[in-house]
Amino acid sequence: MNQPGKVALVTAGARRLGQAACLKFAELGYDIALHYKSSAAEAEATATQVKKIGRRCQLFQADLLQTNQSEILVDQVMEKLGALSLLVNNASIWTPASFAQSSTQVLLDNLNIHIVAPYILCREFSRKAGQGQIINVTDASTCRNKTDFFPYLLSKKTLQALTEMLAVELAPHFRVNAVAPGMLLPSEGLAATVFPRELEENLLKRCGKLSDYTEALEYLSKSEHITGQCLFVAAGDQLNAWQ
């Protein structure tokens, strides 16, 4: 039976880690507000899977590069589903760009997706809902400083800092945590040779599974005494200094 008020908004929820989050939270009894930008067919397919689990799923199209669209998303969700209790800031872009080679636009796009949009969504959620929880999806590489994805890493590090600041700012009514996945799914366009190289440096010598990630989400969502934490799902990669 549906539980009124138990609603999760997952940004970029149509595919990959976002889809896995939608399905996991549906299994945990949440109705799903599935945000997507352009993956309409994948969003519909994920919504179908959520409904088979027995939960409602409402689709919300928005371009989070546009701040005005981020600003109204929480209102749209609450208008359609009546409540919001969990926000998962999953939306991400991943563009190779060193510091020297990065363009201003690539920097701004990374900041808008990884910090500006989450900031706005967290602000609107805290204003409108009054209580709940937030899970930000960062990256295991936030423990490093050398990278060929400079704007990406900078913005994800900032998202990690936002997680800790919001945990203080929004307590005791909101819990705010982060999940930092390592290599779970090959990124689109990433050379297949990268996977074996990273596995060689992996402390547990194993590739991660989506279930490793979704179990971390479940743990944080249920653990009422945890806030301001980042749970690394990376087989210890965050302890390595590989470059």
Side-chain angles (χ1 to χ4, degrees):
M1 180 178 295
N2 284 352
Q3 302 173 28
K6 198 171 182 182
V7 176
L9 167 58
V10 181
T11 62
R15 304 167 56 249
R16 297 171 62 82
L17 296 184
Q19 179 190 56
C22 287
L23 298 179
K24 170 54 70 173
F25 285 117
E27 292 171 358
L28 295 175
Y30 288 81
D31 293 326
I32 303 300
L34 192 163
H35 157 267
Y36 70 98
K37 178 185 177 182
S38 57
S39 303
E42 292 93 337
E44 291 284 359
T46 301
T48 297
Q49 294 183 64
V50 168
K51 292 171 184 176
K52 287 181 179 178
I53 295 171
R55 309 307 307 183
R56 293 184 296 166
C57 187
Q58 187 77 36
L59 302 183
F60 298 88
Q61 192 281 329
D63 182 356
L64 298 184
L65 288 172
Q66 308 299 320
T67 56
N68 62 324
Q69 295 188 34
S70 299
E71 288 171 343
I72 62 174
L73 183 55
V74 167
D75 279 335
Q76 291 174 330
V77 169
M78 297 183 75
E79 179 181 351
K80 292 290 186 180
L81 292 173
L84 182 59
S85 47
L86 168 64
L87 168 63
V88 182
N89 284 307
N90 169 75
S92 187
I93 57 175
W94 205 68
T95 306
S98 68
F99 176 71
Q101 296 171 339
S102 61
S103 67
T104 301
Q105 191 59 55
V106 167
L107 171 62
L108 292 175
D109 287 350
N110 275 270
L111 291 173
N112 279 327
I113 291 294
H114 300 142
I115 186 63
V116 176
Y119 185 105
I120 291 171
L121 292 171
C122 291
R123 184 191 67 199
E124 296 306 301
F125 178 32
S126 64
R127 286 176 175 175
K128 307 292 171 52
Q131 62 180 358
Q133 60 176 306
I134 297 163
I135 299 176
N136 295 321
V137 182
T138 61
D139 193 297
S141 64
T142 54
C143 288
R144 300 195 301 274
N145 292 303
K146 185 173 179 59
T147 179
D148 292 326
F149 296 78
F150 203 96
Y152 171 84
L153 184 56
L154 173 63
S155 57
K156 285 290 190 176
K157 281 175 173 283
T158 309
L159 181 58
Q160 179 59 44
L162 178 65
T163 300
E164 297 176 4
M165 292 179 70
L166 286 179
V168 175
E169 182 71 20
L170 299 180
H173 302 296
F174 288 82
R175 292 193 299 109
V176 187
N177 293 294
V179 175
M183 187 62 75
L184 297 175
L185 291 171
S187 297
E188 294 173 348
L190 185 66
T193 55
V194 174
F195 231 85
R197 177 178 66 83
E198 297 199 347
L199 182 59
E200 181 69 22
E201 300 289 344
N202 185 305
L203 293 184
L204 299 183
K205 305 302 181 187
R206 66 184 291 271
C207 292
K209 305 186 298 293
L210 280 178
S211 60
D212 297 316
Y213 174 69
T214 57
E215 287 168 4
L217 293 176
E218 179 176 0
Y219 173 73
L220 288 177
S221 70
K222 290 181 174 180
S223 299
E224 297 183 356
H225 202 56
I226 295 178
T227 194
Q229 298 299 308
C230 179
L231 184 54
F232 285 86
V233 186
D237 278 350
Q238 76 275 12
L239 303 177
N240 277 324
W242 59 266
Q243 302 173 359

